[in-house]
Amino acid sequence: MKKLHFICLAALAATFVACEPNNEPVDNATVVTFENVALDSTGYWNGSDFSGGKLVDGAFFVNDYVFDSLFNYGYCNGGFYVSSKTDKQTRGYSNEYSVYADGGADNSKQFAVLYYSAWSAQNARIQFTKAVSPKSVSLTNSTYTYWSLKEGDAISKACAAGDWFKVTIIGQNGDTRTDSLDFYLADFRDGKTFICDTWTSVDLSALGAVTDIYFTIDGTDKGDWGLNTPAYVCLDNLKYE
């Protein structure tokens, strides 16, 4: 009888354990960190291999690199770079691959840099092979853009009262636009004097299910040819499910 009583108690205890809810969160998200992208001695990849972009952790970051045979010169016509450059002091276009930070987000070594061209806006895009749900992404200024916002340069002026500079993130599911959101890389409206100088996590959940994420960059400093401020933003830790 003692043995039977013990077996019954053990079975009852097992039943309670099996029925106890598991309150631990389940996170099936993919985080794009760019750490597995091979870079050469320059410390960056800029699309000069004419690959059309870079597939990283299931997300394809579009890049349109063009070679002008007349002038024997190659250049990016919009899209993403991958970089490890962290020169926070050198001003100007020669330093277009650097982030104004000590590295990637969360102390990583590598990150992406988006160059936006209004003339080829379709290249500022991340593609997925199927619909996914973006959760968040970390953004900050490139060094080139940071110093142009802060000090001005030969083309752009330093930010003053009323100025702003922002990236707009747009969700697309097939042919349908889902939603969009803005992140201000500089904001001098209403008495503010903000220029983003650190990685900031941006919630993307409002975009819903998407097959593409588009980016546009805009600001108040414009001329006859459009935006004067260098249209760059650094990106890391894109999280999606």
Side-chain angles (χ1 to χ4, degrees):
M1 290 296 294
K2 289 183 178 180
K3 183 177 181 180
L4 180 60
H5 181 65
F6 175 79
I7 293 173
C8 290
L9 287 176
L12 185 62
T15 300
F16 278 114
V17 170
C19 294
E20 185 177 337
N22 182 3
N23 294 320
E24 293 184 5
V26 177
D27 190 349
N28 296 318
T30 297
V31 182
V32 183
T33 66
F34 303 99
E35 296 302 287
N36 60 352
V37 177
L39 304 179
D40 62 20
S41 59
T42 64
Y44 60 82
W45 169 88
N46 65 358
S48 58
D49 56 4
F50 299 101
S51 59
K54 184 70 74 173
L55 180 65
V56 189
D57 297 323
F60 188 74
F61 293 80
V62 174
N63 172 290
D64 183 26
Y65 193 87
V66 178
F67 185 79
D68 188 327
S69 57
L70 180 62
F71 295 98
N72 194 33
Y73 174 72
Y75 63 94
C76 180
N77 192 35
F80 290 90
Y81 312 134
V82 179
S83 178
S84 62
K85 306 290 284 184
T86 58
D87 178 355
K88 293 197 289 185
Q89 299 303 319
T90 303
R91 278 73 162 164
Y93 172 73
S94 65
N95 195 24
E96 65 170 324
Y97 302 111
S98 286
V99 63
Y100 194 79
D102 294 328
D106 294 334
N107 300 313
S108 65
K109 293 184 179 299
Q110 299 182 181
F111 52 90
V113 182
L114 170 64
Y115 166 56
Y116 174 74
S117 170
W119 308 103
S120 53
Q122 73 279 359
N123 295 326
R125 172 167 105 258
I126 304 171
Q127 299 174 301
F128 302 91
T129 56
K130 62 180 181 179
V132 302
S133 297
K135 298 303 178 184
S136 61
V137 68
S138 293
L139 302 176
T140 193
N141 273 307
S142 72
T143 299
Y144 180 22
T145 301
Y146 175 85
W147 286 114
S148 293
L149 291 166
K150 189 173 182 65
E151 299 178 342
D153 55 37
I155 299 174
S156 63
K157 67 180 184 67
C159 284
D163 286 334
W164 53 266
F165 181 73
K166 70 178 182 180
V167 54
T168 298
I169 307 171
I170 305 161
Q172 188 94 4
N173 192 341
D175 296 328
T176 303
R177 176 169 169 161
T178 60
D179 208 338
S180 65
L181 55 94
D182 295 329
F183 176 72
Y184 283 84
L185 293 159
D187 192 356
F188 281 64
R189 302 170 300 167
D190 303 321
K192 295 189 288 290
T193 57
F194 169 72
I195 301 177
C196 186
D197 61 1
T198 188
W199 288 105
T200 305
S201 181
V202 179
D203 186 357
L204 300 181
S205 57
L207 299 182
V210 304
T211 55
D212 301 84
I213 301 175
Y214 286 83
F215 297 80
T216 63
I217 295 179
D218 201 2
T220 46
D221 185 9
K222 295 180 179 178
D224 294 339
W225 297 96
L227 191 64
N228 290 329
T229 308
Y232 294 78
V233 61
C234 295
L235 177 153
D236 204 356
N237 287 5
L238 171 63
K239 185 175 183 179
Y240 72 89
E241 293 181 344

